[in-house]
Amino acid sequence: MKLQLLRLSDIDTTLQDQITQLYKQLNAQIQQLPLKKILEGEHPTIIICCKINGIVVGIALMGLYKVISGYKGMIEDVVVDQEHRGKGIGRLLMEALLAEGKKRNLGEILLFTGHHRLPAIQLYKSLGFKLKESGIYNIRYR
């Protein structure tokens, strides 16, 4: 098992295809952006992937942003292949994201998860995340 912090130069067709297929296990309805688009720019999204025998079996992403209250990260799109769940891969991915957040001196890391995702919630709590007493509102343009 190998964790990898993805860089723009790492992206090829094989990696893109593997992550596209894996992400469908999280949400097959969402139109995905190409990985190269996610990784370009001054503050690219952090993407950590887990590979077993060269095959991507897990990913976790953290968007970076700055606001008047400081630098923050928002964890999104954490998914482990259904055949590899329960083996600690999600924890390793999350720990790698949190380490990147500390390394980049983020003041706060946020995440959103559905209330029905009980194993994920247990993992997040065990890593120190606490339920923030605030509401999330959204508006969709697509």
Side-chain angles (χ1 to χ4, degrees):
M1 184 178 335
K2 177 185 172 192
L3 289 184
Q4 180 180 0
L5 172 65
L6 295 182
R7 307 232 184 267
L8 193 56
S9 60
D10 297 323
I11 307 307
D12 61 19
T13 306
T14 301
L15 184 64
Q16 177 68 62
D17 290 346
Q18 287 180 15
I19 290 176
T20 296
Q21 291 308 310
L22 178 63
Y23 185 78
K24 288 179 181 179
Q25 292 182 34
L26 181 65
N27 191 331
Q29 310 306 314
I30 290 180
Q31 178 66 37
Q32 299 174 39
L33 290 174
L35 293 173
K36 287 188 176 189
K37 188 157 194 76
I38 296 168
L39 289 170
E40 63 189 15
E42 184 181 345
H43 297 287
T45 298
I46 296 168
I47 304 175
I48 307 284
C49 75
C50 178
K51 293 180 180 180
I52 296 177
N53 298 322
I55 305 295
V56 177
V57 297
I59 57 168
L61 289 73
M62 181 166 55
L64 305 175
Y65 65 101
K66 60 183 171 183
V67 291
I68 201 164
S69 59
Y71 292 92
K72 299 184 180 191
M74 180 66 154
I75 294 176
E76 300 254 357
D77 305 330
V78 178
V79 60
V80 174
D81 181 81
Q82 56 194 357
E83 292 182 24
H84 295 279
R85 292 179 189 160
K87 298 178 181 177
I89 293 170
R91 174 172 295 280
L92 291 173
L93 290 166
M94 288 296 297
E95 289 172 345
L97 283 182
L98 296 177
E100 279 295 313
K102 281 185 181 181
K103 180 176 154 185
R104 295 168 192 243
N105 205 27
L106 300 181
E108 182 177 28
I109 296 177
L110 305 157
L111 64 80
F112 171 80
T113 191
H115 298 294
H116 65 284
R117 297 188 65 219
L118 298 178
I121 292 168
Q122 289 175 337
L123 170 63
Y124 302 147
K125 285 181 176 181
S126 75
L127 291 167
F129 283 88
K130 305 218 179 318
L131 183 61
K132 191 170 183 168
E133 293 193 26
S134 63
I136 276 198
Y137 299 84
N138 77 330
I139 187 168
R140 289 199 174 263
Y141 293 108
R142 295 189 246 158

